């Protein structure tokens, strides 16, 4: 049995999007020949929303190592607010000791806290252990370079320049790349010819049915967010102006329909929940201003504060239908589509025409998925009227697609790449 050391700064009970790959893979690694241990940052040093129920999904036998991090209140004054930068030296010290005393066949960085990945090259040189990087998002990207400052992430000037120098240090020496989008791999291999021959695989997140069982079991514990007398269409996830292209045609159709049939469409409410990464109470709406500009103040509710993972699932299950707007960035792949599909609720999705999410959803048999160039008012009208006639409408999914996209299947693919990576002669 081979051993993999997983580096994931966020881990249950922290509810961060980038730890779900690891969380839903842990039950299956051993089945495919790998024993996994995780090194994460102690929750005492994080300020993310926590969900204690997430711990119920982690196998009890998994060894989880915890490292410290600099206090954010102090370090942020120096520009070191991210968990990756605050924990970097602690990761280095702790894992040095771990690798000195224990054998691991591979190190696996599965996180969007990318600066920790620079330690891969250091550990590889010092301990002769190969490493794989999981690209759940782009690391160094020019996407925001031509965007107005108010649309750029916080401290973008600093992070852009930091990423420009840190990415090559980590990627050039990697022994394998996993990515949620094929384009991420294409871009990296074009940027760094040194990795053109290393193993690489496009592996999206997987469906994890046990999560639905946990949400159902505990749903009475969650504060209801929806008015059940309305027809509720729900999206849970980050917001942003990059989603306006996907949302605008839907809002435009809703505004038109509201004037044509106010009796029915005044009952339709679109909820956008957890749209900001800012601390509770400090998030700025990014969807509501668009709704207000189209006269939909009464039809769109934006809750910027993030909620726990299982509260999210319980809210999705309570909805009449679900909505997934994609980014205008063609490389964006919405990992959240799998929890949405698990609920088997009616689903309206709008993406960039080049997004891989369109093909994935159609593979499941979802017909109401569009790109923002081909969605029409009639499409939205038909979708919403169907909800009025069947308020508890359930959809059927292709069982072949379900099996193909289960977390267990995705874990097998990861392990196959691990096997290739440890036999890749780059040490």
């Amino acid at each position: 049995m081979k051993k993999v050391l997983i580096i994931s700064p966020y881990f249950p009970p922290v509810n961060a999007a980038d730890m779900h790959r690891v969380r839903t893979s842990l039950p299956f690694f051993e089945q495919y020949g790998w024993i996994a241990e995780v090194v994460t940052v102690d929750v005492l040093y994080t300020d993310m929303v926590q969900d204690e129920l997430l711990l119920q999904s982690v196998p009890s036998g998994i060894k989880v190592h915890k490292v410290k991090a600099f206090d954010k209140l102090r370090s942020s004054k120096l520009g070191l607010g991210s968990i990756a930068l605050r924990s970097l030296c602690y990761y280095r010290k702790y894992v040095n000791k771990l690798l000195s005393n224990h054998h691991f066949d591979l190190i696996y960085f599965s996180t969007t806290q990318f600066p920790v990945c620079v330690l891969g090259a250091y550990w590889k040189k010092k301990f002769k252990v190969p490493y794989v990087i999981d690209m759940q998002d782009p690391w160094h990207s020019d996407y925001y370079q031509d965007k107005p400052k108010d649309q750029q992430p916080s401290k973008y000037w600093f992070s852009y320049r930091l990423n420009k120098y840190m990415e090559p240090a980590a990627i050039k020496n990697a022994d394998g790349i996993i990515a949620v989008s094929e384009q991420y791999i294409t871009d990296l291999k074009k940027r760094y010819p040194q990795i053109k021959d290393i193993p690489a695989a496009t592996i999206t997140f997987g469906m994890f049915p046990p999560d639905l069982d946990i949400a159902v079991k505990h749903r009475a514990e969650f504060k209801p967010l929806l008015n059940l007398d309305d027809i509720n269409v729900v999206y849970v996830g980050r917001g942003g102006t990059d989603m306006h292209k996907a949302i605008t045609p839907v809002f435009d159709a809703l505004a038109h329909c509201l004037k044509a049939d106010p009796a029915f469409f005044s009952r339709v409410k679109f909820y956008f929940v957890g749209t900001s990464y800012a601390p509770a109470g400090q998030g700025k709406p990014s969807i509501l201003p668009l709704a207000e500009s189209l006269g939909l103040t009464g039809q769109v509710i934006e809750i910027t504060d993030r909620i726990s993972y299982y509260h999210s699932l319980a809210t999705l299950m309570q909805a009449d239908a679900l909505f997934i707007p994609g980014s205008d960035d063609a490389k964006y792949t919405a990992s959240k589509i799998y929890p949405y599909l698990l609920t088997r609720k009616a689903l309206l999705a709008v993406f960039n025409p080049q997004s891989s999410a369109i093909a994935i959803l159609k593979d499941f048999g979802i017909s109401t998925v569009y790109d923002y160039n081909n969605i029409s008012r009639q499409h939205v009208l038909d979708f919403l009227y169907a909800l009025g006639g069947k308020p508890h409408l359930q959809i059927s999914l292709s069982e072949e697609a379900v099996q193909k996209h289960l977390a267990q299947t995705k874990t097998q693919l990861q392990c196959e790449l691990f096997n290739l990576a440890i036999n890749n002669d780059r040490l």
Side-chain angles (χ1 to χ4, degrees):
M1 197 74 76
K2 299 175 286 293
K3 290 182 67 178
V4 56
L5 187 65
I6 302 175
I7 307 298
S8 179
Y10 290 128
F11 192 73
V14 175
N15 180 25
D18 65 343
M19 65 83 197
H20 288 296
R21 163 97 79 189
V22 172
R23 181 182 68 86
T24 60
S25 298
L26 286 174
F28 310 112
F29 278 125
E30 197 163 341
Q31 180 178 338
Y32 299 110
W34 288 84
I35 295 174
E37 294 185 17
V38 180
V39 188
T40 188
V41 176
D42 194 301
V43 294
L44 295 173
Y45 303 95
T46 69
D47 59 357
M48 295 285 286
V49 171
Q50 295 182 33
D51 186 347
E52 294 293 329
L53 294 178
L54 286 165
L55 294 169
Q56 295 186 16
S57 67
V58 179
S60 58
I62 298 295
K63 185 176 289 189
V64 179
H65 307 269
K66 297 179 181 180
V67 301
K68 297 179 180 180
F70 290 118
D71 178 76
K72 186 174 182 178
L73 289 176
R74 297 180 180 180
S75 62
S76 59
K77 295 177 181 178
L78 302 175
L80 303 177
S82 79
I83 194 77
L85 296 176
R86 291 189 291 118
S87 64
L88 198 61
C89 69
Y90 290 99
Y91 258 114
R92 179 179 179 274
K93 181 179 179 180
Y94 188 94
V95 175
N96 276 356
K97 185 176 180 180
L98 203 58
L99 295 177
S100 295
N101 298 318
H102 303 277
H103 171 75
F104 289 91
D105 298 278
L106 183 73
I107 298 172
Y108 181 33
F109 294 89
S110 186
T111 178
T112 56
Q113 300 302 311
F114 291 118
V116 298
C117 298
V118 298
L119 291 171
Y122 165 75
W123 288 325
K124 178 177 178 178
K125 183 177 181 179
K126 186 176 180 67
F127 297 102
K128 307 301 181 185
V129 182
Y131 65 97
V132 169
I133 296 178
D134 176 16
M135 301 297 295
Q136 299 180 23
D137 280 330
W139 184 350
H140 175 57
S141 169
D142 291 327
Y143 175 78
Y144 289 102
Q145 281 294 88
D146 60 352
K147 301 293 187 294
K149 284 190 176 182
D150 63 346
Q151 294 183 23
Q152 295 176 351
S154 175
K155 299 179 181 178
Y156 175 71
W157 185 93
F158 174 76
S159 61
Y160 177 82
R161 283 153 182 80
L162 182 68
N163 293 340
K164 182 177 181 179
Y165 291 102
M166 295 191 91
E167 183 187 79
I171 298 296
K172 286 180 180 180
N173 293 285
D175 298 275
I177 299 289
I178 288 173
V180 297
S181 168
E182 179 66 32
Q183 192 61 50
Y184 294 173
I185 295 173
T186 300
D187 289 348
L188 288 173
K189 289 198 169 187
K190 182 178 180 180
R191 194 179 299 163
Y192 308 112
Q194 299 92 332
I195 65 166
K196 64 182 179 67
D197 295 323
I198 69 169
T202 303
I203 306 174
T204 59
F205 283 30
M207 300 176 75
F208 193 62
D211 278 343
L212 216 57
D213 298 332
I214 295 172
V216 169
K217 182 179 178 181
H218 294 273
R219 60 186 168 188
E221 302 170 18
F222 306 124
K223 176 184 177 182
L225 301 178
L226 313 179
N227 182 346
L228 299 186
D229 293 330
D230 295 326
I231 299 173
N232 298 304
V233 184
V234 176
Y235 166 80
V236 180
R238 73 146 181 106
T241 55
D242 63 307
M243 293 182 170
H244 282 192
K245 269 193 175 182
I247 297 172
T248 296
V250 176
F251 280 6
D252 178 72
L254 179 60
H256 176 79
C257 294
L258 188 61
K259 294 176 182 177
D261 187 354
F264 177 80
F265 284 99
S266 62
R267 296 171 54 211
V268 176
K269 310 292 183 183
F270 273 75
Y271 281 80
F272 294 81
V273 182
T275 54
S276 174
Y277 289 114
Q282 298 181 30
K284 294 182 179 180
S286 58
I287 309 301
L288 193 56
L290 176 63
E292 291 172 341
S293 71
L294 294 169
L296 295 174
T297 306
Q299 313 311 123
V300 176
I301 299 93
E302 180 174 6
I303 301 172
T304 58
D305 289 353
R306 299 178 72 79
I307 60 177
S308 72
Y309 180 68
Y310 291 105
H311 192 180
S312 298
L313 284 181
T315 303
L316 293 179
M317 286 188 286
Q318 194 180 42
D320 296 294
L322 309 178
F323 177 45
I324 308 181
S327 170
D328 57 16
D329 184 354
K331 302 171 188 176
Y332 173 79
T333 300
S335 59
K336 65 178 67 68
I337 64 177
Y338 297 107
Y340 278 60
L341 289 167
L342 273 176
T343 69
R344 297 180 186 261
K345 292 282 185 175
L347 175 63
L348 176 66
V350 186
F351 291 93
N352 182 297
Q354 305 303 316
S355 173
S356 60
I358 294 176
I360 292 173
L361 287 170
K362 287 185 175 179
D363 193 28
F364 277 94
I366 305 298
S367 59
T368 49
V369 53
Y370 308 96
D371 66 61
Y372 45 62
N373 292 327
N374 71 8
I375 188 170
S376 69
R377 284 181 178 175
Q378 193 63 45
H379 290 140
V380 179
L381 177 70
D382 291 345
F383 180 83
L384 295 176
Y385 266 136
L387 300 180
K390 301 176 182 178
H392 302 293
L393 183 66
Q394 294 282 304
I395 59 173
S396 59
L397 302 176
S398 162
E399 287 306 316
E400 182 181 351
V402 170
Q403 292 300 316
K404 177 181 173 182
H405 291 280
L406 284 173
Q408 181 174 356
T409 306
K410 303 296 185 179
T411 306
Q412 181 180 5
L413 296 175
Q414 291 172 74
C415 290
E416 289 173 357
L417 185 128
F418 292 173
N419 293 332
L420 293 173
I422 62 175
N423 293 313
N424 186 41
D425 188 21
R426 281 171 58 86
L427 288 176

